[in-house]
Amino acid sequence: MKIFDEIESEVQSYARAFPRVFNRAKAEFMWDEDGNQYLDFLAGAGTLNYGHNNPLFKDTLIEYIQNDGITHGLDMHTKAKGEFLETFNEKILKPRNMEYMVQFTGPTGTNAVEAAMKIARNVTGQQNIVTFTNGFHGVSLGALAATGNSHHRDAAGVSLSGTHRMPYDGYLGDNIDTTEYLDKVLSDSSSGINSPAAVIVETVQGEGGINAASIEWLQNLQTVCRKHKILLIIDDIQAGCGRTGDYFSFEEAGIEPDIITLSKSLGGYGLPFAVVLMKPELDQWKPGEHNGTFRGNNLAFVTAKSAIDHYWSDDKFSEEIKRKGRYISERFESIVSQYGEGNFTAKGRGMFQGINCVSGEIAGQITRKAFKEGLMIETSGADDHVVKILCALIISDENLKKGIDIMEQAIKEVCAKEDIPEEDVYFEV
Ligand SMILES: *Cc1c(COP(=O)(O)O)cnc(C)c1O
């Protein structure tokens, strides 16, 4: 359609990787306006963990709208908000012995990150926040200062301040525990690192290339934070809501973050919704001190509650994700062993895995070939060199296999040097 070239800003990104006009979606599938079907291994960058238009929540949502339920109510108390809070408390927080206050922020991930960083700074009276190499936390100024990617950072237009970068797990090689370095500089009054308010970290770096921190590293990070009285913020916006197998990605590590950010799949239906969870003693906000018009997406409250009721009332869903995660690991290991160790490596955890192709050029060829075969799959990482699986967690075994088969075939062809020119994909069908 010409209109996109005519008036939609150059800033578009995913639209360039998947140059079709989409108009329908269901579970793990999307269709373009010509009726072509695509298996969706991008799932709204991890926003559609429960699939597109999940029928379990759709009826609840339609009924709520039909009954003239509140859509927008600023941050006023609504029945939908109350019911979401009750369900979240009973089925997510309490069974995990987690005691947190819930702050509704503006509806995108970066809004939650801004609020989390603000709380940490205000409560501790310190400005500096430790962030990690390849971290991604959003693109509004505060969150952007915590984000590593230079493509995003360079667009800031002003200096990004208040953060200090440290090497993430594995950044300096497999045998170096980078939390030891963090401990060292924080113990040394001459290290030049200002005493921080907090550390903000992803347990698995999504946009940064599916780098999964080891469980031990996460535990050591918490120990260092406690030792130096720094708050631990886990940004669980992409890794949370079941992606790694548990509701929160840090559960396996048994750590207890001071602050947690959630968004992406929290709303369940793809509706914008974000929260900050903070330990009760950190909730020192004055009324309205941090506000925003859209801090009460009531439609998202309805579907978020429904998602928790349907999928998180017992362990079944979690077991299913872990089983599918093991299947992905097996397939990836087999792909890596067939097509040459060194060229490809598998990485990630649960249903948050990727294949590191070393070169962005190779990864791009793979995703373009896959798209030609009806699979939507994206890359991530500093050089877009990691092909990442982010399919809906509810995907059928059959379609998970089908998608990975397409990936494998694309890798095989790329290894056989059957290059596919970029123009081929951009050609209008
Ligand atoms: C996507 C993401 C964000 C930013 O969320 P937006 O809704 O795009 O603002 C922040 N942190 C992590 C880990 C993310 O994956």
PDB file of all heavy atoms in Angstrom, residues 137-150:
ATOM      1  N   HIS A 137      16.382  -1.405  27.995  1.00  0.00           N
ATOM      2  CA  HIS A 137      15.351  -1.070  28.979  1.00  0.00           C
ATOM      3  C   HIS A 137      14.329  -0.066  28.462  1.00  0.00           C
ATOM      4  O   HIS A 137      13.499   0.413  29.221  1.00  0.00           O
ATOM      5  CB  HIS A 137      16.012  -0.550  30.256  1.00  0.00           C
ATOM      6  CG  HIS A 137      16.959  -1.554  30.865  1.00  0.00           C
ATOM      7  ND1 HIS A 137      16.533  -2.658  31.553  1.00  0.00           N
ATOM      8  CD2 HIS A 137      18.318  -1.643  30.821  1.00  0.00           C
ATOM      9  CE1 HIS A 137      17.578  -3.386  31.943  1.00  0.00           C
ATOM     10  NE2 HIS A 137      18.674  -2.789  31.507  1.00  0.00           N
ATOM     11  N   GLY A 138      14.399   0.268  27.169  1.00  0.00           N
ATOM     12  CA  GLY A 138      13.446   1.221  26.619  1.00  0.00           C
ATOM     13  C   GLY A 138      14.173   2.433  26.063  1.00  0.00           C
ATOM     14  O   GLY A 138      15.394   2.565  26.204  1.00  0.00           O
ATOM     15  N   VAL A 139      13.422   3.338  25.424  1.00  0.00           N
ATOM     16  CA  VAL A 139      14.067   4.439  24.712  1.00  0.00           C
ATOM     17  C   VAL A 139      13.661   5.845  25.175  1.00  0.00           C
ATOM     18  O   VAL A 139      14.029   6.828  24.548  1.00  0.00           O
ATOM     19  CB  VAL A 139      13.884   4.306  23.180  1.00  0.00           C
ATOM     20  CG1 VAL A 139      14.528   3.034  22.672  1.00  0.00           C
ATOM     21  CG2 VAL A 139      12.419   4.369  22.777  1.00  0.00           C
ATOM     22  N   SER A 140      12.904   5.969  26.270  1.00  0.00           N
ATOM     23  CA  SER A 140      12.697   7.307  26.834  1.00  0.00           C
ATOM     24  C   SER A 140      13.976   7.644  27.610  1.00  0.00           C
ATOM     25  O   SER A 140      14.715   6.733  28.016  1.00  0.00           O
ATOM     26  CB  SER A 140      11.446   7.346  27.710  1.00  0.00           C
ATOM     27  OG  SER A 140      11.491   6.352  28.696  1.00  0.00           O
ATOM     28  N   LEU A 141      14.251   8.938  27.813  1.00  0.00           N
ATOM     29  CA  LEU A 141      15.606   9.336  28.232  1.00  0.00           C
ATOM     30  C   LEU A 141      16.212   8.590  29.423  1.00  0.00           C
ATOM     31  O   LEU A 141      17.354   8.155  29.359  1.00  0.00           O
ATOM     32  CB  LEU A 141      15.664  10.845  28.502  1.00  0.00           C
ATOM     33  CG  LEU A 141      15.796  11.722  27.255  1.00  0.00           C
ATOM     34  CD1 LEU A 141      15.974  13.178  27.674  1.00  0.00           C
ATOM     35  CD2 LEU A 141      16.948  11.283  26.361  1.00  0.00           C
ATOM     36  N   GLY A 142      15.437   8.428  30.498  1.00  0.00           N
ATOM     37  CA  GLY A 142      15.976   7.748  31.674  1.00  0.00           C
ATOM     38  C   GLY A 142      16.319   6.303  31.377  1.00  0.00           C
ATOM     39  O   GLY A 142      17.407   5.818  31.687  1.00  0.00           O
ATOM     40  N   ALA A 143      15.376   5.616  30.750  1.00  0.00           N
ATOM     41  CA  ALA A 143      15.571   4.202  30.413  1.00  0.00           C
ATOM     42  C   ALA A 143      16.652   4.052  29.348  1.00  0.00           C
ATOM     43  O   ALA A 143      17.426   3.088  29.353  1.00  0.00           O
ATOM     44  CB  ALA A 143      14.260   3.593  29.928  1.00  0.00           C
ATOM     45  N   LEU A 144      16.730   5.032  28.445  1.00  0.00           N
ATOM     46  CA  LEU A 144      17.728   4.982  27.368  1.00  0.00           C
ATOM     47  C   LEU A 144      19.145   5.050  27.937  1.00  0.00           C
ATOM     48  O   LEU A 144      20.071   4.431  27.407  1.00  0.00           O
ATOM     49  CB  LEU A 144      17.477   6.132  26.381  1.00  0.00           C
ATOM     50  CG  LEU A 144      18.253   6.137  25.075  1.00  0.00           C
ATOM     51  CD1 LEU A 144      18.097   4.829  24.313  1.00  0.00           C
ATOM     52  CD2 LEU A 144      17.800   7.303  24.190  1.00  0.00           C
ATOM     53  N   ALA A 145      19.288   5.789  29.033  1.00  0.00           N
ATOM     54  CA  ALA A 145      20.601   5.870  29.686  1.00  0.00           C
ATOM     55  C   ALA A 145      21.022   4.494  30.197  1.00  0.00           C
ATOM     56  O   ALA A 145      22.209   4.208  30.337  1.00  0.00           O
ATOM     57  CB  ALA A 145      20.565   6.874  30.831  1.00  0.00           C
ATOM     58  N   ALA A 146      20.037   3.638  30.453  1.00  0.00           N
ATOM     59  CA  ALA A 146      20.334   2.284  30.942  1.00  0.00           C
ATOM     60  C   ALA A 146      20.496   1.293  29.798  1.00  0.00           C
ATOM     61  O   ALA A 146      20.964   0.181  29.987  1.00  0.00           O
ATOM     62  CB  ALA A 146      19.226   1.818  31.885  1.00  0.00           C
ATOM     63  N   THR A 147      20.094   1.695  28.599  1.00  0.00           N
ATOM     64  CA  THR A 147      20.152   0.829  27.415  1.00  0.00           C
ATOM     65  C   THR A 147      21.537   0.913  26.777  1.00  0.00           C
ATOM     66  O   THR A 147      22.140   1.988  26.737  1.00  0.00           O
ATOM     67  CB  THR A 147      19.033   1.267  26.429  1.00  0.00           C
ATOM     68  OG1 THR A 147      17.772   0.933  27.011  1.00  0.00           O
ATOM     69  CG2 THR A 147      19.162   0.604  25.077  1.00  0.00           C
ATOM     70  N   GLY A 148      22.034  -0.215  26.281  1.00  0.00           N
ATOM     71  CA  GLY A 148      23.400  -0.241  25.745  1.00  0.00           C
ATOM     72  C   GLY A 148      23.511   0.127  24.279  1.00  0.00           C
ATOM     73  O   GLY A 148      24.482   0.761  23.853  1.00  0.00           O
ATOM     74  N   ASN A 149      22.537  -0.251  23.499  1.00  0.00           N
ATOM     75  CA  ASN A 149      22.596  -0.175  22.042  1.00  0.00           C
ATOM     76  C   ASN A 149      22.846   1.250  21.499  1.00  0.00           C
ATOM     77  O   ASN A 149      22.049   2.153  21.722  1.00  0.00           O
ATOM     78  CB  ASN A 149      21.269  -0.724  21.507  1.00  0.00           C
ATOM     79  CG  ASN A 149      21.272  -0.877  20.017  1.00  0.00           C
ATOM     80  OD1 ASN A 149      21.464   0.094  19.299  1.00  0.00           O
ATOM     81  ND2 ASN A 149      21.066  -2.082  19.551  1.00  0.00           N
ATOM     82  N   SER A 150      23.944   1.407  20.753  1.00  0.00           N
ATOM     83  CA  SER A 150      24.345   2.750  20.311  1.00  0.00           C
ATOM     84  C   SER A 150      23.379   3.326  19.274  1.00  0.00           C
ATOM     85  O   SER A 150      23.213   4.539  19.184  1.00  0.00           O
ATOM     86  CB  SER A 150      25.763   2.724  19.747  1.00  0.00           C
ATOM     87  OG  SER A 150      25.815   1.843  18.651  1.00  0.00           O
TER      88      SER A 150
END
